[in-house]
Amino acid sequence: MHPLIGYLIAAGLFAIGLYGVLTRRNAVLQLAAAELMLGGVHLVLVTTDLVAGSLTGQSFALFIVVIAAAEVGVGLALVLNLWRERASADTDALPEEDEAEARR
């Protein structure tokens, strides 16, 4: 397999994830889009590792898997807290930082 294919697929995954993070209002969908972005980075590391012939990319890919698992745990806890507070996972309904400081 030519490495360009892996890089193009990774760029596509990252672009789709970035689009999802920027345009989705639902926090769960934003988390899923962030996972797509991490998958794109993961694919770049593994493809680069195959081209270079070293194990460095696979080591970093393992760290990405650990980070993704931690992100899911923390993110779902935040979504559950948001759901309990507002009965909605819509992130547009969240107050801005300035509004929150003005209430204090």
Side-chain angles (χ1 to χ4, degrees), residues 19-73:
Y19 176 77
V21 167
L22 294 177
T23 59
R24 298 294 176 194
R25 294 180 180 172
N26 191 338
V28 176
L29 294 177
Q30 287 178 340
L31 283 173
E35 290 295 325
L36 274 177
M37 292 171 65
L38 280 174
V41 172
H42 191 200
L43 187 56
V44 164
L45 288 172
V46 171
T47 303
T48 304
D49 186 36
L50 288 174
V51 170
S54 66
L55 297 178
T56 309
Q58 292 178 14
S59 301
F60 283 124
L62 181 64
F63 287 122
I64 288 177
V65 170
V66 171
I67 289 170
E71 175 200 358
V72 167

Side-chain angles (χ1 to χ4, degrees), residues 25-28 75-91 93-94:
R25 294 180 180 172
N26 191 338
V28 176
L76 287 179
L78 290 172
V79 169
L80 284 174
N81 192 17
L82 178 66
W83 183 265
R84 288 179 185 163
E85 181 98 10
R86 302 196 182 265
S88 171
D90 188 11
T91 56
L94 294 176

